Amino acid sequence: MKTTNQFFTAIVLTLLLFSTTIVAQDDAPKIPEFITVTTNHWNMDKKDFKMSEWKAAEKEYLEKVTMKNEFILGSSMYLHNMTADNSEFLSVQTFATWEDMGKFGDRNAELEKAAWPDEAKRKVFLKNLNSYYANEHSDEIYAPIPGGKFMDERPTKDMVCYVKKSYFAFPEDGTNEEFKKLRMEGNATIVQKNQYVKAYYPNVHAWGSDKTEYIEAFYLDSLADLDKMFDRDDELMEEAFPDNEANRAKGKAWAKYFTGVHGDYVYTYIHDLSK
C-alpha cells in the first residue's frame, strides 16, 4: 500500500460499482452511496423540555417533510445510551448520490412551505422544534462498503445500535485485494452468522474530520444481546479460524491495517422516527 489516497480511491470505486449494481436490480434493496451523520446536542437550558412533545414535533416533521423528500433515501435518529456525552443526539440520513445531498435542503424548504403555508405558523413550529437543540453540532459524511447485513423488515420497536469506530493504519506492505479478502472472509463467517446481529452496516470516511475512520454499526434487540453477540463472535471465530499457523498469519495480516485503537458507542435507535 503506497498512499492513503490510493487505498481510499480503490475502496470508493468498489463502493460505487457495488452500489450501482444493487440499485439497478428491482428486487434488491437500494444501497446509499453516502451517509451523513449529524451530532446534535440537547438544549440543556430549555426549561419546558418534554421528551414526548419533542418526539411529537419530530414525527410531524418526518411525516410532512422528510418522508416526502425524494432526495432523502433514508433517515433515522439515535439517542445517547452509553457514550461519553449524554447530551448528544445523532441524526443520520442516507443519499443515493452526491448530487442528492446538494438538493435535499432546498426540497425540505419547499415541503415546509407546503406543510405549513401560513408563514407565521411555520416559523412557530420550526422555532419550537429547534429549541430542543443547542446551537453547536458537527457533521460527517461516510461511504458504505460491501458486507452489510440487512434487516428482513422494518423494525416495530426501538433497538440498540452499537457503533465500533476503528482507525486505518495504512501499512506499506498492504494491498486493497488483501484487505478486502480478509474483511469479507471474516464478515461471512462471523457477522453474517451471528444471530444476535439483526443488521450490520460497515462504512468508511468520505468527507469530514478524520479520513482514517472505519465505522461499523451493529443493530441488536436489547442491551443483553450485546454481551451475547460478543460471546457468539468468539465461538464463531474459533470455529472459522482454529488456532494454527495459517490462521495466526491471517490475524497478523488483518491487524496491520488498523492502529489497534478503537472506540465503542451505544445508542438507542428510535424506530418510529425513521424513513
Side-chain angles (χ1 to χ4, degrees):
M1 180 177 298
K2 299 303 181 184
T3 67
T4 298
N5 287 337
Q6 287 176 340
F7 178 70
F8 275 103
T9 298
I11 281 188
V12 173
L13 285 175
T14 300
L15 162 70
L16 294 178
L17 291 172
F18 175 77
S19 300
T20 302
T21 301
I22 294 296
V23 173
Q25 298 173 1
D26 294 336
D27 58 346
K30 288 186 177 180
I31 307 299
E33 285 189 11
F34 297 102
I35 298 175
T36 63
V37 179
T38 298
T39 301
N40 292 300
H41 296 273
W42 297 116
N43 178 6
M44 307 301 280
D45 295 325
K46 185 175 174 62
K47 299 185 183 304
D48 56 346
F49 188 107
K50 293 182 180 179
M51 185 64 74
S52 59
E53 293 181 0
W54 162 78
K55 189 173 182 179
E58 280 289 4
K59 193 167 186 178
E60 182 176 356
Y61 190 89
L62 173 72
E63 293 172 349
K64 293 182 176 180
V65 179
T66 306
M67 295 296 290
K68 296 180 179 181
N69 192 326
E70 64 272 25
F71 299 115
I72 300 175
L73 196 58
S75 177
S76 51
M77 295 185 171
Y78 302 80
L79 296 173
H80 152 89
N81 193 315
M82 288 190 290
T83 69
D85 186 352
N86 72 315
S87 75
E88 70 178 357
F89 173 84
L90 303 187
S91 177
V92 178
Q93 293 186 316
T94 62
F95 300 91
T97 66
W98 186 271
E99 289 74 19
D100 284 355
M101 280 195 294
K103 297 176 181 178
F104 91 95
D106 289 340
R107 183 60 175 142
N108 271 358
E110 294 173 354
L111 291 167
E112 287 170 4
K113 291 180 180 180
W116 299 279
D118 185 298
E119 183 178 2
K121 291 182 179 179
R122 182 169 68 252
K123 286 183 177 180
V124 168
F125 175 84
L126 294 175
K127 182 178 180 180
N128 174 65
L129 182 59
N130 291 330
S131 72
Y132 286 92
Y133 304 107
N135 291 325
E136 69 270 16
H137 75 273
S138 61
D139 299 292
E140 300 288 340
I141 301 176
Y142 299 101
I145 58 177
K149 182 177 183 179
F150 305 105
M151 294 185 189
D152 295 331
E153 55 187 18
R154 179 179 291 275
T156 57
K157 63 177 184 178
D158 292 353
M159 300 184 74
V160 169
C161 179
Y162 161 62
V163 177
K164 181 178 180 180
K165 184 182 294 187
S166 304
Y167 301 89
F168 289 118
F170 309 105
E172 287 294 329
D173 62 340
T175 66
N176 297 310
E177 292 75 16
E178 180 185 53
F179 176 80
K180 180 180 178 181
K181 181 179 179 180
L182 291 169
R183 189 179 71 84
M184 294 306 289
E185 183 178 6
N187 179 282
T189 55
I190 299 174
V191 176
Q192 300 295 332
K193 292 185 177 181
N194 191 322
Q195 69 270 32
Y196 298 106
V197 179
K198 302 306 178 183
Y200 167 76
Y201 303 101
N203 306 277
V204 296
H205 163 274
W207 192 274
S209 59
D210 189 347
K211 64 185 176 183
T212 71
E213 286 184 342
Y214 174 55
I215 308 295
E216 298 172 277
F218 302 78
Y219 289 74
L220 309 108
D221 284 332
S222 67
L223 275 175
D225 283 353
L226 187 58
D227 283 337
K228 295 176 182 177
M229 178 193 76
F230 289 132
D231 290 340
R232 184 58 179 147
D233 277 351
D234 290 341
E235 294 172 353
L236 291 167
M237 176 73 76
E238 292 178 2
E239 293 171 8
F241 306 102
D243 186 19
N244 56 48
E245 185 175 347
N247 286 328
R248 284 194 293 272
K250 284 184 180 180
K252 185 177 180 180
W254 173 250
K256 73 184 179 184
Y257 288 97
F258 298 94
T259 64
V261 175
H262 78 269
D264 300 290
Y265 311 82
V266 180
Y267 299 96
T268 298
Y269 162 79
I270 310 174
H271 80 283
D272 52 351
L273 288 182
S274 66
K275 178 180 179 179

